[in-house]
């Protein structure tokens, strides 16, 4: 029992360290962060496995903790529009948009991947319990920074992803 408790505490500490590296989460108190950690679930994907695809219901966001994820905007599935390396957040734009929004990109594991996932319902339940305006603004900025990286402001293709 003690060994399992120590293992669980070590996993929680590791997840906390990962979230602290993401600007949107860095201003949260330890108590606030722990609410998110409890609600997050570890998921693993093999190389080539689809994490989410265009048109899927936006029911969660992910924090990439290990590996690489290729992002394909639209349905073509050709060359990735971008590749994300750990540690970053994806799927946050759709979860912050209106209920029933759908994914605007397909995300595929391009190596063995570990992510922490957080469902939409849990995200908004936690947001209702604490003041997280900075977190929501930070996630929106993260989405903008990820997508707009290397693009000029007048590029007509600028749009949020996942």
């Amino acid at each position: 029992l003690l060994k399992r408790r120590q293992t669980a505490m070590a996993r929680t500490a590791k997840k906390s360290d990962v979230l602290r590296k993401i600007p949107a989460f860095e201003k949260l108190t330890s108590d606030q962060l722990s609410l998110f950690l409890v609600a997050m679930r570890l998921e693993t994907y093999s190389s080539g496995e689809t994490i989410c695809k265009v048109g899927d219901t936006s029911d969660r966001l992910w924090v990439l903790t290990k590996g690489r994820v290729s992002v394909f905007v639209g349905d073509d599935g050709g060359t990735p529009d971008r590749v994300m390396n750990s540690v970053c957040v994806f799927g946050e734009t759709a979860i912050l948009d209106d209920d029933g929004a759908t994914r605007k990109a397909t995300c595929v594991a391009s190596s063995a991947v570990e992510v922490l996932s957080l469902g939409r319902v849990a995200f908004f339940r936690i947001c209702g319990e604490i003041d997280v305006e900075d977190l929501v603004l930070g996630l929106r900025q993260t989405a903008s920074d990820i997508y707009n990286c290397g693009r000029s402001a007048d590029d007509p293709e600028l749009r949020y992803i996942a």
Side-chain angles (χ1 to χ4, degrees):
L1 179 64
L2 179 60
K3 184 142 179 108
R4 278 191 294 201
R5 177 174 267 168
Q6 289 172 330
T7 302
M9 289 172 57
R11 275 194 306 258
T12 300
K14 182 180 176 186
K15 290 193 304 189
S16 177
D17 291 344
V18 166
L19 288 184
R20 289 275 182 221
K21 292 178 182 175
I22 298 168
F25 288 93
E26 69 185 0
K27 291 183 182 179
L28 295 179
T29 67
S30 294
D31 288 342
Q32 291 170 329
L33 192 63
S34 69
L35 291 172
F36 285 100
L37 291 172
V38 167
M40 290 180 143
R41 162 177 102 203
L42 179 66
E43 297 176 4
T44 59
Y45 295 89
S46 300
S47 183
E49 195 171 355
T50 300
I51 299 168
C52 65
K53 61 185 175 188
V54 171
D56 284 353
T57 301
S58 302
D59 63 347
R60 66 188 49 256
L61 64 80
W62 295 271
V63 177
L64 178 61
T65 61
K66 181 180 175 184
R68 286 185 325 275
V69 173
S70 295
V71 179
F72 303 89
V73 177
D75 291 324
D76 65 358
T79 304
D81 292 281
R82 66 194 18 66
V83 176
M84 297 181 288
N85 297 303
S86 57
V87 168
C88 69
V89 178
F90 62 101
E92 73 289 337
T93 301
I95 203 170
L96 292 172
D97 288 342
D98 294 332
D99 193 24
T102 58
R103 303 277 174 204
K104 293 167 184 59
T106 296
C107 297
V108 177
S110 48
S111 70
V113 166
E114 287 184 4
V115 293
L116 298 173
S117 71
L118 179 64
R120 180 185 183 85
V121 172
F123 177 80
F124 283 106
R125 180 181 44 79
I126 295 166
C127 288
E129 294 176 20
I130 61 177
D131 178 19
V132 291
E133 183 177 339
D134 284 342
L135 172 66
V136 172
L137 291 173
L139 288 174
R140 287 201 184 277
Q141 184 61 49
T142 297
S144 178
D145 291 348
I146 289 170
Y147 190 79
N148 296 336
C149 181
R151 294 183 178 242
S152 74
D154 58 347
D155 186 335
E157 290 296 311
L158 288 179
R159 58 185 172 269
Y160 291 114
I161 61 169

